[in-house]
Amino acid sequence: MLELDCLGDMCPIPIMKLKQCDSLTRSGDQVRLVTDHSCVLESVSDYCLKRNLRMETEEPMNGIWEITVTKL
């Protein structure tokens, strides 16, 4: 699984990084995006809805989110 480090990146940088990622080509492919900005959660959610991707979110530490995006 590819991991995108988006710590410190403000919107729309994380979405731009996700769009450039070519690791979501086949069903089941996953990318993990790590961020420290809560606004990224909404942006990634909107992006996933429009592209038929599944999004799962975890907060392993307070203020740090790991977003796993899966190609359906």
Side-chain angles (χ1 to χ4, degrees), residues 11-26:
C11 291
I13 301 300
I15 292 298
M16 292 169 63
K17 286 182 177 181
L18 188 56
K19 284 181 181 180
Q20 292 176 349
C21 176
D22 60 355
S23 295
L24 293 171
T25 56
R26 295 180 303 191

Side-chain angles (χ1 to χ4, degrees), residues 35-36 58-65:
T35 184
D36 55 354
E58 293 182 42
E59 189 176 7
M61 291 184 283
N62 191 28
I64 304 291
W65 293 272

Side-chain angles (χ1 to χ4, degrees), residues 1-59:
M1 177 185 329
L2 177 67
E3 187 168 302
L4 299 175
D5 180 359
C6 296
L7 295 172
D9 292 343
M10 301 284 284
C11 291
I13 301 300
I15 292 298
M16 292 169 63
K17 286 182 177 181
L18 188 56
K19 284 181 181 180
Q20 292 176 349
C21 176
D22 60 355
S23 295
L24 293 171
T25 56
R26 295 180 303 191
S27 180
D29 287 349
Q30 293 184 318
V31 172
R32 177 171 292 137
L33 188 146
V34 181
T35 184
D36 55 354
H37 289 277
S38 61
C39 64
V40 174
L41 300 173
E42 187 175 339
S43 299
V44 172
S45 177
D46 291 343
Y47 178 82
C48 289
L49 284 174
K50 293 176 185 174
R51 285 159 183 81
N52 196 29
L53 302 168
R54 184 176 68 221
M55 174 184 141
E56 297 175 19
T57 305
E58 293 182 42
E59 189 176 7

